[in-house]
């Protein structure tokens, strides 16, 4: 199954398109499963003008905005159900750039189809180096976005096979981010290129029972390259590795 589970809409400050626009682009590109996962701070802060406002004007209705976002995407799911499977995800920031960026501890995201965690490899991440505890707190399937996991595991002194095995047992998947667009300055992720060329890494992932996801991480539909998604999904399948939502 061709799946792209990392896409952004106008709910993300860095996105600009409505959900229908990006879903139709995915359909046209041969994607069969499409996940929309806007940034938690874009969703919960509702509008950039509010996000940048003074504290007394700050919209602090995280729970309500998360539900409204989810309900909107349920309508999108239904609208395109006979053409593509749409999932409602959320990309969760774990770097506390300020008090409005990180998902509040009281926020419930368990009803989402999945979440993508970013920056878990940073020493400043609110995960505190305990990915497994934080993933359990999310309450929904968890993936790790645009992160060099082999590099991270080496830095923390863990055995790659054991670490990935534990991830697999907890249902945590790892994203192969294949972005190549203006937002990301047309840079490819080195960890993805390395993984697709490194048979030893592939064997570790396969033997550990890890699932991988593919995401273009699209922010502008005019930049969307579904051919990169198709190629990555086919490569992973040919390796004998399961995709996240097969």
């Amino acid at each position: 199954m061709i799946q792209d589970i990392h896409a952004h809409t106008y709910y993300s400050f860095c996105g600009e398109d409505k959900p229908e626009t990006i879903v139709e682009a995915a359909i046209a590109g041969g994607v069969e499963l499409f996940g929309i996962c806007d940034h938690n701070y874009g969703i919960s802060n509702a509008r950039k003008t509010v996000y940048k406002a003074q504290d007394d004007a700050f919209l602090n209705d995280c729970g309500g905005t998360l539900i409204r976002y989810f309900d909107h995407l349920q309508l999108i799911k239904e609208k395109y159900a006979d053409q593509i499977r749409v999932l409602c995800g959320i990309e969760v920031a774990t770097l506390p750039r300020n008090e409005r960026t990180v998902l509040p501890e009281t926020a419930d995201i368990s009803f989402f189809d999945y979440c993508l965690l970013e920056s878990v490899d940073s020493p400043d991440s609110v995960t505190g180096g305990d990915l497994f505890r934080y993933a359990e707190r999310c309450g929904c399937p968890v993936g790790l976005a645009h992160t060099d996991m082999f590099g991270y595991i080496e830095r923390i002194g863990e055995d790659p096979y054991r670490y990935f095995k534990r991830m697999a047992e907890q249902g945590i998947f790892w994203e192969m981010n294949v972005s190549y667009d203006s937002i990301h300055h047309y840079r490819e992720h080195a960890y993805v290129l390395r993984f697709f060329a490194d048979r030893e890494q592939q064997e570790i992932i396969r033997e550990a029972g890890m699932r991988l996801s593919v995401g273009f991480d699209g922010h502008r539909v005019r930049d969307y390259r579904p051919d990169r998604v198709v190629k990555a999904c086919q490569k992973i399948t040919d390796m004998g590795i399961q995709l996240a939502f097969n």
Side-chain angles (χ1 to χ4, degrees):
M1 176 183 287
I2 305 301
Q3 47 190 269
D4 177 357
I5 67 163
H6 195 159
H8 296 280
T9 72
Y10 54 45
Y11 279 98
S12 294
F13 297 161
C14 46
E16 67 177 17
D17 301 297
K18 61 183 182 179
E20 289 89 344
T21 301
I22 64 171
V23 170
E24 289 169 10
I27 293 170
V31 175
E32 299 166 286
L33 184 149
F34 191 59
I36 300 173
C37 58
D38 285 294
H39 295 289
N40 66 276
Y41 48 88
I43 300 167
S44 62
N45 296 316
R47 301 182 310 278
K48 188 182 295 188
T49 52
V50 174
Y51 178 78
K52 291 184 174 181
Q54 297 300 315
D55 287 344
D56 58 359
F58 176 51
L59 176 62
N60 190 21
D61 181 26
C62 182
T65 52
L66 290 176
I67 291 171
R68 287 193 287 275
Y69 172 75
F70 182 83
D71 288 346
H72 183 185
L73 291 194
Q74 298 317 295
L75 297 176
I76 300 299
K77 279 188 183 185
E78 295 169 10
K79 180 175 181 178
Y80 295 97
D82 62 342
Q83 301 176 69
I84 192 171
R85 182 182 171 196
V86 175
L87 298 182
C88 176
I90 181 170
E91 186 170 10
V92 177
T94 73
L95 278 184
R97 294 186 179 92
N98 60 53
E99 72 279 6
R100 304 179 189 185
T101 302
V102 175
L103 192 71
E105 291 207 14
T106 55
D108 178 15
I109 60 171
S110 63
F111 52 91
F112 281 85
D113 293 323
Y114 68 97
C115 70
L116 293 179
L117 304 183
E118 58 181 4
S119 307
V120 297
D121 55 340
S122 170
D124 298 322
S125 169
V126 296
T127 61
D130 191 344
L131 163 64
F132 303 101
R133 178 195 61 80
Y134 195 86
E136 187 174 3
R137 162 254 189 270
C138 293
C140 61
V142 171
L144 304 183
H146 41 69
T147 301
D148 177 2
M149 286 305 299
F150 277 97
Y152 173 61
I153 292 168
E154 181 180 1
R155 287 199 305 276
I156 62 177
E158 294 278 359
D159 176 76
Y161 172 77
R162 290 199 193 95
Y163 198 90
F164 281 119
K165 181 73 172 176
R166 189 178 175 190
M167 286 176 62
E169 290 171 349
Q170 194 167 326
I172 302 172
F173 56 90
W174 181 30
E175 176 193 80
M176 293 291 110
N177 188 298
V178 295
S179 63
Y180 190 75
D181 60 3
S182 59
I183 286 290
H184 300 100
H185 308 292
Y186 298 102
R187 289 196 302 263
E188 297 183 274
H189 286 276
Y191 81 88
V192 175
L193 298 175
R194 189 160 50 248
F195 175 77
F196 282 137
D198 191 325
R199 292 190 177 184
E200 183 178 349
Q201 288 191 1
Q202 295 165 18
E203 181 65 17
I204 289 171
I205 293 297
R206 185 166 45 247
E207 290 299 312
M210 273 289 296
R211 289 179 179 260
L212 301 180
S213 66
V214 175
F216 186 76
D217 198 3
H219 293 73
R220 304 282 191 275
V221 75
R222 63 178 178 269
D223 287 340
Y224 190 40
R225 289 279 307 277
D227 59 299
R228 293 177 62 81
V229 173
V230 171
K231 185 177 181 180
C233 287
Q234 291 173 338
K235 281 185 176 181
I236 291 168
T237 301
D238 289 345
M239 292 172 192
I241 296 171
Q242 293 290 310
L243 289 167
F245 289 96
N246 278 357

